Structure formats: C-alpha cells, structure tokens
Amino acid sequence: MMRRLLALLAMWISLAANAQVVSEHDMKAAYLYNFAHLFDWPESSRANFHLCVLGEEDVGAALQRFDERRVDGKRIVIARLSSLAPIRLCDILYVGVGELPSLPKIRSTLGSQPTLVVTDRGNLPAVGVMLGIENSRLVFDVNLEQCERAGLKAKPTLLGFARSVRRAGEAEARPLPASLPGK
Amino acid sequence: MPSPSHETIRFRPVCGDFAQAAGQTLSSRRQGSRPLLGVLAMTLVLCLPTGTARATGEEDLSAVPFAQLVQREVVSASTLVRQISDSPSAVAIVTAEDIRAYGYRSIADVINGMRGLYITGDRRYAYMGGRGFGAPGDYTGRIMVLIDGYVTQDSLFNQAYIDESGLLDLALVERVEYVPGTGSVTYGNNAMLGIINIVTRKGGSLNALQLSTEAGSHDAYRQRVSYGKRFENGADVVLSASSYDAAGQNLYFPAYDTPATNGGWANGIDGERNKRFFGKFSYEGLVVEAGYVDRQKTVPTKATAYSVFNTPFTIDDANGYLNASYETDIGLYLYSASRFYFGHYAHEGHRVIDDLTTPYAQRKHRAEWWGLDQKFVGKWFANHSILFGMEYRNDFSQYLSRAYFYPDGTIDSASRVRENYARNTTSVYVADEYRFHDRWRLNVGARFDKASDLDGNWSPRVALIFQPDFRTTLKASYSEAFRMPNADDRSFYGTQAMPEYVKAKEFVAQHDLDRRMRLTGTVYEYRRMDQMIDVTGNGDYAAVGNSRSRGLELEFEARWDNGVRLRSSGAWQDARDTTGQDAVNSPNVLGKFQITAPLPGDWLRAGLETQYLGARLTAERRRLGGVALANLTFTNARSWHGVTASFSVRNLFDRDYEVVSPFTWAPGTGIDSLRMDGRTYWVQLNLDL
C-alpha cells in the first residue's frame, strides 16, 4: 500500500508542478508593485522605496520577488511587519483583513504623511486604495480624497482601471459607467 | 512602467518527471517500508530546481502590463482556516465555531476529534495519545500544551491538564492548533510528540457580558460569566469566571464483584468540581493575561495498588499562571517579542490504604516557576527570516511530599517524606527560513538548553518545503527533541534519572483541490532513545530503552459556501515498546469523521462526529476490540435576542465500551480495562447582555 501511495504522491507532485493559475495573493502582490509605479510620489529623503505588508503573510511572501526592483530610481524594499510600530516608514502600506480593526490607529499614526494605505476589503473612506474580488478578477477602488490628503497623485492609468473612484466631497464612491448610453 | 512580456505559459516538467521516476523505481522493486522516508527525501532532492527550471517555469507578473493584469482571472484564497504556526508539519486546526458545532466541553474533546489523536480517561484525568505516545501511566506528558504562548505543563510531572482540571473554559477559546512532530527546536524540554497551541478569544469577538449555564447527565452543572470588550483606543479586555459541579455516578467494577467489596459497586464517589478564573488585557503589542483553576475530583476506581476499593480517594489540582508579553517591530526588519511568565501548581491527594495501623495516606505537592524569553526575527535579507533568541527559566520551587496517618488522624512522622528540588535552565535558539527559490524554502534551526543539573543539549531541526503551486505544499523534515527528567522522575529514579530523546522524520503533502477542499497526507517515523526501563524486573531502572513508531495519516477537509463543513481522517500507526512488541494502548487504526450543516429553515445547525478507536492492547497485553462512537450536537445558527443554545448527545448509540486502564488495578483478574459512559446529554444556554 505504501508503494502505491508513494507513486500516487509522485504523480500528484508532477501534476501540481504543471498547474499555472494566478493566485489571489500573487495578484495582490503584482498590483501593489504596479501601484508603486502608478502614483507620483513626493520628494523624499529616503534612499529606498518601502513597500510594507501587515497581516497577510502570503502577500508578503509573494512580494519578495519584487524586492530590489526599482521605482523612480529607488530600490524597492519589502518589509513584512508584525506590528504598527514602524508604519511611518512605509511608502505603501498593505493592510490584510486580519489587521483591519487596527485601521483607525493606522490612520491616526500616519496623519497626512505621504503613505498609500491599501486594504483588502475594509473601509474605503479611511484608505487610499481598497482591493476586492469581483467575478474572479481582482478589482480596486480609489479614494482620491485620502490620496490628496497624503499628497499622492494618482496617474490617469490607475484611475482608468479602477472599479470606482471616490473624489473629495463625495459621500459614496460612484462606480464609473461601463459604457455611455445613446449614440 | 513594467514592460509587456510574451504571454506564453510554459511548464516545468523537471520535478514531475523525477518524482514519477522515483515512484516507479519504488514500485518496481520489492522494498520494505523502512527506506520509505529516504525515497521521499530523494524525490524532494531530485525536485530541486535547476537554473533552467526557474527561467522557464515562473511567469513574471511584474512584466505583465497593468492593463492585462486587471483582466486576468485569479483564484481566490482558500476558505479553509489557515494555520498560524509556521511549522513544517501538517497542522490541524479546530476553531471556536467547530467547538460550538460539535459541542466540545474540554480541550480533551477537541483533541479527541483531531487526526491521529485519542483520549484515554480513567475517571481521574484525561490522557492524550498518538503516534506511539501516551503509554498508560504516562500522564499527559511529552507533549506541549500552550495557551497564548504560555507552556501550561506543571513543573513536577510535566503533565498537561486537558480536562476539567485544565485552565480554560472552551467558551474562551478562539482556536486550537495541533502541530504534530517534535518541537524542541522552538520550545526545548518536553516537546516530543507535538504542540497543542490554544489561542484565546479577544474581548472584541465576545463584545458582551455573557451569562452561561450548562446542565449534563449525572447531575453536572456549570455556571459562567464572561465579559469582553474592545475599546475605542484599541485596548481589549476579557474577564471570565466559572464554576462546575458534577455529582457523578454509582459505578460497577467487575474486578471487585465480591461481597466484601460491595459487589463491585463504587457508590457516590465520582464527584467533580472546579472553579476557573481568566483575565486578559491587550493594548497595541502588550498582552497581560492570567488564569487559575482549582479542580477537585473523587476517584471511584482503585487507582493505586494500596488504595482500598469503594473508599473516598480525592485529588485536588490547582494551576495558575501569569503571562505578560510585548511584541513590536524595531524598524522595518526586526521583530521582537519579549515575554515574562510565572506558573504555580499545587496537588493534594487523600486516600484510604490497605494498612491497619496507618490507613490514611496523603500527598501534597507544590511547584512554582518563572521565566523570561526574548525572541527576535530578523528580515534583513529578502529571502531569509532569521529567528533567534534566548530563554531563562527558573523552577525555583519543586516540593513533593507524602505521609501516612493513624486512624485518629495524627500523622505517622516516620513515614513522612519531603523532597525539594529546583532547576534553572538557560536556552538559546536560532533558526533560518531560507527561501532559495520562489517555490522552495529551507528551514534550519537548533536550540541549546542547559539545565543546572544536566549537561547541555542541542535540539536541531532541518526542513525542506516545496510549493510547486499555490495549492500544493510538500514538507520533509528531520528533527530531534528531548525531555529532561522532571522532579517526579528525580524522586522516583534517583541518580538514574536521565534525559530521554527522540529523532523524528516526517513527510507532509498538502493539496487544496479548490478553495473549499483540502487533502493532507503525512508519513512519519519516531525513534525514541534512553527511555527508562526496569532492567532486572526488581525496580532497577536505567535509561537504556529504545523504541520506534511509524505511521501514516490522511485527512480531507472541506468548507462549502452553503455552511456545510466536513473533516475526515484516518491514521495508521505501528508503535513498538522498548521490548520491540506492539505498544500498549496504541491502536493501529484511528478514524475521525465530522460534519456540520445548517438544517433547513436556517434556525438550527447540526454537528455529527464519529470516532473510531481501533483495537489496542491493555497493560496485561489483552486485546480490546475497536469501537466506533458518535456524538450529535444541535446549536441555534443565529443568536436570538442575545440567546444562544446548544444540545449534545454523547455516545449517541449507547455503545458499551472499554478503554485501557493506566494502572494495573486488579492484577491477575484478567480485567484490566475501564468501562466508559454510555449515552449522555448536555445542554448549554448563553445570554449576551
């Protein structure tokens, strides 16, 4: 029986190794990397670009492959955080679902410093970008009010792909119409 | 902007071919199961990535333009519960919702539902067994039971308390993780079989003042009041107190069925009571928590050689602890966790013994200890997580005493034995998780423990983890663990008391069939060394015993979107004792099946659990037949005006069954097993204010 099981296991390995689909956390990591390019970042005295992950180990691990790539001539450094202590050092801070209760604390710690807060679901008014899954696609909403408060300028490309964009003074994020009616 | 790349998806056949080849080699040759792990390890080694594999296999998402990324389909993360412990073994998890759905009342119930584990009760304590561990007479030892990182075993017997003598009410438990395999590399002393990690609930998840009342068969009642809240500023508080009182049963023991011993009936001596207190305060990285339990039990069996049947035999176990920890990040790359703990244990036992001049015996034991642990995880290098730290533990008071008493209650001073022990242990540990490829990790670590009365000891572990894709994980590990002789060993074995060792090899495969279903398989081998054995048969003990156990476990779990959850597992184990014979109280087969589903109308949820305990040997090497038991629980699916309720039936089909007795209580009678309870009922009502 052991031998048969082993053979089965070996087959399993070979099948598994051939599968090629993009997992949620790999895609989240790719989005975060792209966000680094899709914003205009204010001048900073730091030599590196800090991409921080709080509370979702899988995304942190998937981001590792972007370590030492460059954005605006700066080296990207991936930081997998366990606490809120160092978040003021982050350029992008990704907050996983498990850490959402800490969002008020994160907001008050960061104030208006230029850190882009990205969350998985959660509360759009409190963050810059919120990710979500819709029809098996990873989608995102952008809160321009928060971005502007932090002095971050979203590039048009980003806004074009967003599911919804919330602008200053708007109570609710309004989804952009998929296509215009009429002629 | 990232530049576009070719959308070609290429495969990486390198590993698969080798794995298949390895599998064929194995099946074409007649081989025993012993080189099994070796072959598996070889399979893994052959799967080692080559330069070409990396270049052709990985699709570089950073090179895909954003416009294309947003069009790509993604596979959502698994709905199954994720393990917290970062361990190269197949972790089993039971969450608060499982605890409720299956009507678990103690950690022992939780453990009994887990893959490859079983509980043996002797109406005194509940003991845990699995993978060849859990011999009769071995208290729940050689396993770690942690509550929020605090090691709960007492410092005299290394016993973990998992029944009503345990520290926590299950209503306060968020999840229980079982990490099979040795854990000395992380925890040092005693982590031989595995780790049971209990995580307590946060006040925010309770978010109420909860009043709870329970009633069960044999006049068992429990009252509990708990309070939990998360405050605006992020501070979180849990407070809880409970009391349990059970009258128990009149029990019949065939071994004593003589007129002189009340026809084998032990009447009115099965009572149990406890009181529990728990409190936790957390704010940012700081957590201060304390717990206390005092349990009194009357033991209806004749639990020791000299005790007299059908006379009161009472035990009182008290456990208490304080655990304060602070976690933070120092800069972006260094995580720090500091911890202080204090523990207390007291035992008092009274019994009637078979002696005319001094018919009463008393035991009083007490221990206290404290410790400090400072752990760091350095993430300076992209592909390394470097864990290092040190621990100091001071078992400053280990007091054991026993004495006999005259019929008038005065002490026989000559019989009094009082022993004091102490030990302090300094440990250092280091481990590196090296992600040397996108899909490969190597985990190498070691811990060094130096106790004041023993030579220093290294506990190493090396593990190789391969994730061919995000749904599949393969882990192969080799580790060594040890157990220092505890105060009770030092008292019993004297200068012969020596540390005991185990070397473990394990291979784990985990595969998510989709986001709702997971398969887990594991093969293991444990080799134990320097076990204490009676060399001459006259009580001359020496640490010269060796034994081995090996086995295989398979588990399927699923969590569907309609609220149905299922978990099913089978374990096959072959455990030998130090003489090379089949080990006592170690079933060859264990099966678990659990399903819970909302009932039509969405008012109620049902949870059905069946457990199969395979045939096993008693202490006198008699074979007890296998037994299948079923438990059924109904809970209300949603709180109704703050009221939640549950109703459980244990041993649903009223099966008459016996377990191996941890003591030879009637040698020569041929009756050396203990009959367990038939069908029992239990209800619980909670009111959230």
Side-chain angles (χ1 to χ4, degrees):
Chain A
M1 189 176 76
M2 288 282 199
R3 285 195 300 272
R4 252 179 260 155
L5 266 165
L6 251 187
L8 205 76
L9 200 77
M11 269 176 61
W12 184 7
I13 298 172
S14 68
L15 283 174
N18 289 345
Q20 275 284 3
V21 247
V22 182
S23 73
E24 187 178 320
H25 51 257
D26 277 337
M27 190 60 96
K28 281 177 181 166
Y31 271 42
L32 291 172
Y33 170 69
N34 273 280
F35 292 160
H37 293 92
L38 294 170
F39 279 88
D40 284 325
W41 301 94
E43 284 297 314
S44 127
S45 54
R46 281 201 289 266
N48 297 328
F49 185 89
H50 295 160
L51 212 171
C52 308
V53 178
L54 184 65
E56 208 172 314
E57 266 300 306
D58 282 339
V59 176
L63 266 173
Q64 286 307 322
R65 65 179 70 115
F66 301 107
D67 193 74
E68 299 210 354
R69 284 173 192 259
R70 294 195 165 257
V71 55
D72 284 352
K74 289 182 176 180
R75 195 168 72 94
I76 293 184
V77 169
I78 309 298
R80 290 164 285 162
L81 307 184
S82 310
S83 71
L84 302 183
I87 59 171
R88 288 179 63 91
L89 296 171
C90 304
D91 291 298
I92 294 181
L93 172 64
Y94 174 75
V95 182
V97 173
E99 289 289 339
L100 286 180
S102 309
L103 215 47
K105 183 82 193 167
I106 291 170
R107 272 272 52 98
S108 66
T109 307
L110 293 177
S112 62
Q113 77 160 51
T115 297
L116 175 69
V117 179
V118 181
T119 56
D120 181 12
R121 284 165 275 170
N123 180 15
L124 183 62
V127 301
V129 175
M130 188 175 85
L131 302 178
I133 299 266
E134 197 176 277
N135 300 328
S136 300
R137 305 285 189 285
L138 188 64
V139 296
F140 62 97
D141 305 306
V142 181
N143 179 351
L144 282 182
E145 191 184 356
Q146 278 292 349
C147 295
E148 279 159 19
R149 190 174 299 165
L152 304 171
K153 206 162 165 287
K155 291 181 178 169
T157 329
L158 181 86
L159 300 181
F161 291 122
R163 174 176 64 176
S164 76
V165 178
R166 179 192 165 102
R167 290 169 206 282
E170 279 181 44
E172 292 291 318
R174 215 176 33 233
L176 292 176
S179 60
L180 292 170
K183 273 200 212 177
Chain B
M1 284 289 291
S3 59
S5 75
H6 300 288
E7 276 281 273
T8 359
I9 292 167
R10 274 171 283 188
F11 302 130
R12 180 168 39 157
V14 187
C15 166
D17 290 354
F18 274 126
Q20 258 170 340
Q24 280 156 10
T25 314
L26 188 73
S27 43
S28 64
R29 264 194 264 155
R30 282 238 153 261
Q31 290 198 30
S33 54
R34 212 188 144 203
L36 189 75
L37 286 155
V39 172
L40 284 169
M42 191 178 76
T43 309
L44 269 185
V45 170
L46 289 172
C47 285
L48 272 167
T50 60
T52 53
R54 183 170 193 159
T56 57
E58 284 312 316
E59 189 198 3
D60 184 2
L61 286 179
S62 69
V64 180
F66 197 52
Q68 287 177 28
L69 270 187
V70 296
Q71 298 297 324
R72 289 284 286 270
E73 231 177 87
V74 294
V75 181
S76 319
S78 173
T79 56
L80 295 161
V81 186
R82 268 183 59 92
Q83 72 182 66
I84 296 176
S85 326
D86 193 15
S87 145
S89 67
V91 174
I93 301 159
V94 169
T95 60
E97 53 177 5
D98 296 325
I99 287 172
R100 201 169 120 71
Y102 299 113
Y104 295 145
R105 280 174 276 168
S106 66
I107 296 294
D109 291 341
V110 175
I111 291 170
N112 212 13
M114 285 176 157
R115 151 177 35 100
L117 299 179
Y118 58 100
I119 297 290
T120 310
D122 66 349
R123 304 191 184 279
R124 190 181 185 192
Y125 299 107
Y127 311 98
M128 167 180 169
R131 296 191 166 192
F133 288 85
D138 194 2
Y139 297 112
T140 295
R142 296 175 171 80
I143 171 105
M144 308 284 276
V145 176
L146 289 90
I147 298 176
D148 296 329
Y150 168 76
V151 173
T152 63
Q153 294 99 258
D154 72 62
S155 102
L156 298 175
F157 303 88
N158 286 140
Q159 182 177 0
Y161 299 85
I162 54 177
D163 45 29
E164 292 297 341
S165 59
L167 280 155
L168 284 180
D169 281 310
L170 277 198
L172 302 173
V173 173
E174 180 63 39
R175 61 148 87 207
V176 181
E177 282 191 358
Y178 163 51
V179 185
T182 72
S184 282
V185 67
T186 315
Y187 299 105
N189 181 26
N190 207 42
M192 299 189 84
L193 160 63
I195 317 286
I196 305 270
N197 243 323
I198 303 169
V199 179
T200 60
R201 285 177 71 171
K202 289 204 165 97
S205 78
L206 216 60
N207 198 29
L209 176 70
Q210 184 174 75
L211 304 177
S212 169
T213 183
E214 294 175 21
S217 297
H218 312 307
D219 291 312
Y221 301 95
R222 189 196 316 271
Q223 270 73 43
R224 177 176 55 81
V225 53
S226 307
Y227 171 75
K229 189 165 170 63
R230 182 187 164 94
F231 295 91
E232 285 288 303
N233 64 358
D236 189 282
V237 173
V238 181
L239 293 168
S240 184
S242 76
S243 108
Y244 174 78
D245 194 333
Q249 317 165 58
N250 294 335
L251 293 157
Y252 171 69
F253 295 89
Y256 305 117
D257 193 351
T258 64
T261 48
N262 199 28
W265 281 90
N267 291 338
I269 48 171
D270 183 35
E272 181 169 27
R273 274 185 299 170
N274 81 8
K275 284 196 167 36
R276 285 173 169 148
F277 302 94
F278 177 79
K280 179 165 78 161
F281 170 81
S282 41
Y283 180 67
E284 300 194 351
L286 176 76
V287 183
V288 181
E289 104 180 26
Y292 181 79
V293 59
D294 186 355
R295 195 274 304 244
Q296 290 113 38
K297 177 91 184 76
T298 310
V299 183
T301 63
K302 178 180 158 354
T304 60
Y306 300 110
S307 53
V308 179
F309 178 70
N310 195 25
T311 57
F313 182 138
T314 59
I315 53 167
D316 184 338
D317 291 274
N319 271 291
Y321 76 102
L322 171 77
N323 191 37
S325 61
Y326 183 67
E327 292 179 44
T328 189
D329 285 290
I330 303 166
L332 291 179
Y333 313 115
L334 187 63
Y335 159 82
S336 157
S338 322
R339 204 159 62 79
F340 167 82
Y341 57 89
F342 171 81
H344 163 87
Y345 172 69
H347 172 92
E348 191 169 329
H350 298 272
R351 66 193 66 167
V352 177
I353 56 161
D354 191 10
D355 188 286
L356 286 176
T357 41
T358 55
Y360 301 110
Q362 183 197 66
R363 286 178 186 205
K364 274 189 175 182
H365 309 314
R366 196 179 61 247
E368 277 170 344
W369 59 96
W370 64 271
L372 283 170
D373 183 50
Q374 173 60 49
K375 178 167 78 179
F376 296 102
V377 181
K379 301 161 190 169
W380 301 287
F381 311 103
N383 296 316
H384 293 267
S385 268
I386 302 161
L387 177 147
F388 58 99
M390 66 179 298
E391 180 173 356
Y392 173 77
R393 179 182 165 119
N394 192 343
D395 291 286
F396 61 92
S397 164
Q398 295 176 317
Y399 173 74
L400 296 167
S401 78
R402 44 190 189 269
Y404 294 121
F405 289 79
Y406 296 112
D408 64 1
T410 53
I411 190 167
D412 171 11
S413 345
S415 72
R416 178 180 254 179
V417 177
R418 281 182 286 191
E419 291 170 308
N420 277 294
Y421 296 91
R423 167 183 287 160
N424 59 68
T425 313
T426 307
S427 317
V428 289
Y429 49 90
V430 61
D432 179 27
E433 176 144 296
Y434 174 30
R435 186 180 285 272
F436 59 95
H437 179 271
D438 253 2
R439 310 229 172 273
W440 289 85
R441 282 177 289 155
L442 179 69
N443 191 312
V444 183
R447 175 170 166 135
F448 181 74
D449 298 277
K450 171 73 184 87
S452 48
D453 60 319
L454 297 166
D455 291 337
N457 181 64
W458 282 98
S459 307
R461 179 177 72 192
V462 55
L464 190 60
I465 300 155
F466 173 46
Q467 289 177 288
D469 65 76
F470 64 91
R471 281 184 170 150
T472 311
T473 308
L474 306 173
K475 308 169 182 176
S477 66
Y478 170 81
S479 60
E480 293 178 14
F482 83 119
R483 174 186 181 274
M484 300 177 190
N486 57 38
D488 182 55
D489 294 331
R490 290 165 81 182
S491 169
F492 187 78
Y493 301 118
T495 53
Q496 286 302 310
M498 298 284 173
E500 180 187 314
Y501 303 88
V502 63
K503 294 180 177 179
K505 284 180 269 186
E506 182 153 5
F507 178 80
V508 176
Q510 246 172 345
H511 181 67
D512 289 1
L513 300 170
D514 63 17
R515 54 187 274 273
R516 298 167 202 93
M517 292 186 273
R518 177 176 299 156
L519 272 172
T520 303
T522 168
V523 193
Y524 63 85
E525 183 185 79
Y526 285 67
R527 286 189 174 274
R528 293 171 66 177
M529 281 150 295
D530 297 357
Q531 292 170 265
M532 297 302 291
I533 50 173
D534 188 350
V535 192
T536 57
N538 296 317
D540 297 317
Y541 285 89
V544 294
N546 298 321
S547 66
R548 68 120 190 87
S549 51
R550 59 187 168 210
L552 180 145
E553 296 164 1
L554 282 176
E555 183 169 65
F556 171 75
E557 58 183 312
R559 188 191 180 93
W560 288 286
D561 299 332
N562 58 5
V564 180
R565 303 197 298 275
L566 184 149
R567 193 198 312 259
S568 179
S569 68
W572 292 264
Q573 50 183 24
D574 172 28
R576 305 277 151 177
D577 62 17
T578 51
T579 64
Q581 301 181 86
D582 226 357
V584 164
N585 195 24
S586 177
N588 293 118
V589 182
L590 287 161
K592 316 277 174 185
F593 178 84
Q594 291 142 348
I595 186 162
T596 170
L599 296 179
D602 259 5
W603 264 85
L604 282 179
R605 170 177 282 276
L608 175 72
E609 175 174 54
T610 60
Q611 293 160 348
Y612 177 74
L613 180 65
R616 61 253 176 250
L617 294 174
T618 65
E620 292 179 355
R621 309 201 71 78
R622 208 160 54 81
R623 199 159 193 87
L624 284 183
V627 62
L629 299 170
N631 307 321
L632 182 63
T633 299
F634 295 99
T635 47
N636 61 337
R638 276 186 302 272
S639 146
W640 178 77
H641 296 291
V643 176
T644 50
S646 68
F647 170 70
S648 284
V649 189
R650 286 285 172 88
N651 195 354
L652 185 62
F653 300 109
D654 202 20
R655 290 291 305 272
D656 198 358
Y657 75 106
E658 296 178 325
V659 297
V660 172
S661 168
F663 43 87
T664 44
W665 45 311
T669 57
I671 307 170
D672 57 348
S673 55
L674 265 175
R675 203 168 131 197
M676 291 286 105
D677 290 349
R679 189 185 298 125
T680 57
Y681 303 91
W682 176 71
V683 286
Q684 184 191 51
L685 267 176
N686 302 319
L687 172 65
D688 283 4
L689 296 174

